[in-house]
Amino acid sequence: ALSIAEEDEIIRWANSKVAASVRPAGPSSPPIRSLSDKQLKTAHFLIDLCAAVSPDTVNWDLVTDGRTDDDATLNARYALSIARKIGACVFCTPEDIIEVRPKMILFFIAAVWQADMQRGKPSLPQRKPAPPAHRRASAAAAVPEPHVLAAPEPPARAVP
């Protein structure tokens, strides 16, 4: 189980990410106080979090106000879809979000955080693969032995 300090760190990361993002359709969600914050029911915060990681992924026309259970469910489904699209490995269900199950919210946020770290990682330079064994042998055979590269010795003189 995570300690309270670790949960607080995850909440702080999510709040700072959402606060730093700009939502084209109005202000971003207010910060959450805990993983059981009732505002999470609308899934707006989770959608804003995904948008902060990958702004072009969210189609704001699909986000509802979340006031009814049906609208909240649509938002929760959309939040899960966006999270998966940005590379987060999420295992929670829309019901976990609209019922504000703290552990599942924690897993959602942590998965988005991990996806954000993966997206920010510079790609490693590609190493040139070694040639296959049969090519290495033929390449070695093509290189002459060192004695072949040396200058030829002059012929021995006959002594009269």
Side-chain angles (χ1 to χ4, degrees):
L2 289 176
S3 70
I4 300 296
E6 291 167 324
E7 284 186 19
D8 288 345
E9 183 180 355
I10 290 172
I11 292 169
R12 256 193 320 279
W13 173 82
N15 282 334
S16 68
K17 214 49 179 164
V18 169
S21 69
V22 178
R23 186 188 226 198
S28 296
S29 299
I32 57 172
R33 293 178 302 280
S34 71
L35 296 171
S36 57
D37 192 318
K38 292 302 173 193
Q39 75 158 320
L40 289 165
K41 176 183 174 135
T42 66
H44 285 171
F45 183 85
L46 301 176
I47 293 171
D48 284 338
L49 180 60
C50 291
V53 170
S54 179
D56 298 333
T57 309
V58 178
N59 178 352
W60 293 103
D61 294 334
L62 299 178
V63 180
T64 69
D65 62 11
R67 290 185 187 146
T68 67
D69 285 343
D70 288 342
D71 282 351
T73 301
L74 289 173
N75 286 346
R77 284 185 181 151
Y78 191 49
L80 292 167
S81 175
I82 299 165
R84 290 182 181 116
K85 192 171 185 179
I86 64 174
C89 186
V90 290
F91 295 103
C92 58
T93 64
E95 291 75 23
D96 293 330
I97 295 172
I98 63 172
E99 292 174 12
V100 191
R101 294 186 180 137
K103 284 187 179 180
M104 300 312 285
I105 298 293
L106 171 73
F107 291 144
F108 183 99
I109 294 172
V112 172
W113 190 357
Q114 191 267 341
D116 184 40
M117 289 190 305
Q118 290 294 324
R119 293 171 76 81
K121 184 187 283 187
S123 61
L124 298 174
Q126 296 295 317
R127 288 189 349 193
K128 193 173 183 178
H134 71 279
R135 288 195 139 182
R136 281 187 292 225
S138 63
V143 176
E145 293 295 321
H147 70 276
V148 175
L149 296 176
E153 292 183 24
R157 288 192 188 173
V159 181

